[in-house]
Amino acid sequence: MFFLCSQFNRCITSQLIKWFSNFREFYYIQMEKFARQAIVDGVNDVKGLSVARDCELFRALNVHYNKANDFQVPERFLEVAEITLQEFFTAIFLAKDSDPSWKKAIYKVICKLDSDIPQEFKSSNYL
DNA sequence: AGAGCCCCTG
DNA sequence: CAGGGGCTCT
């Protein structure tokens, strides 16, 4: 819809889906990693977990998705990231990760929080 | 059957 | 990132 100059056949589209799927996987891997680290660090309350622009988790994500700081990360992203981190923390804290499919419940919550494409990306002269 | 996503791997 | 197996849903 937003890249009218490109032809999207089946292969290109599936590759694109794969690409974004990898992006999402990286996101969740980081979330689990930092949630586990928080537990190791002795955090025992989700209220102690936040995601701000100057925190380690945000930096890890930003380096991956927005290395050159081409755009300003939407505030909503931080909110959802924080919710995700807390979801992982709570699940691990309650030892729910013993269930092989423990992440599915988290995915179901977080995928509903997906945001629409930022308006600036829809601009034809964005590139 | 095919799309989409997850998981694991290289 | 890409590949490929597996599962869900249409």
Side-chain angles (χ1 to χ4, degrees):
Chain A
M1 288 171 65
F2 307 117
F3 301 98
L4 300 180
C5 57
S6 301
Q7 299 293 325
F8 288 91
N9 58 34
R10 196 164 303 154
C11 288
I12 298 292
T13 303
S14 62
Q15 183 184 24
L16 215 50
I17 290 169
K18 177 61 180 177
W19 195 25
F20 282 106
S21 180
N22 278 327
F23 278 174
R24 188 183 289 273
E25 287 181 10
F26 180 82
Y27 173 86
Y28 282 127
I29 288 172
Q30 297 306 306
M31 291 299 164
E32 180 178 357
K33 176 179 163 188
F34 279 81
R36 291 193 184 282
Q37 186 58 48
I39 289 178
V40 169
D41 291 342
V43 178
N44 51 22
D45 186 357
V46 276
K47 297 191 188 306
L49 295 175
S50 64
V51 176
R53 295 179 190 277
D54 60 351
C55 75
E56 249 186 277
L57 174 54
F58 178 84
R59 273 197 284 274
L61 295 173
N62 196 63
V63 165
H64 195 69
Y65 301 130
N66 187 32
K67 197 181 192 69
N69 286 307
D70 293 315
F71 56 88
Q72 224 235 329
V73 178
E75 197 61 33
R76 180 58 179 162
F77 181 84
L78 297 183
E79 298 171 9
V80 174
E82 187 169 305
I83 294 172
T84 310
L85 179 62
Q86 294 175 346
E87 286 283 332
F88 268 92
F89 176 85
T90 303
I92 298 169
F93 192 75
L94 299 178
K96 290 182 178 178
D97 56 333
S98 57
D99 179 350
S101 59
W102 65 284
K103 297 178 185 175
K104 285 187 178 180
I106 299 177
Y107 296 153
K108 189 169 292 184
V109 171
I110 305 306
C111 72
K112 288 188 172 64
L113 304 180
D114 279 355
S115 299
D116 188 20
I117 297 175
Q119 199 58 39
E120 60 261 38
F121 288 176
K122 298 181 182 180
S123 166
S124 58
N125 58 10
Y126 178 70
L127 285 182

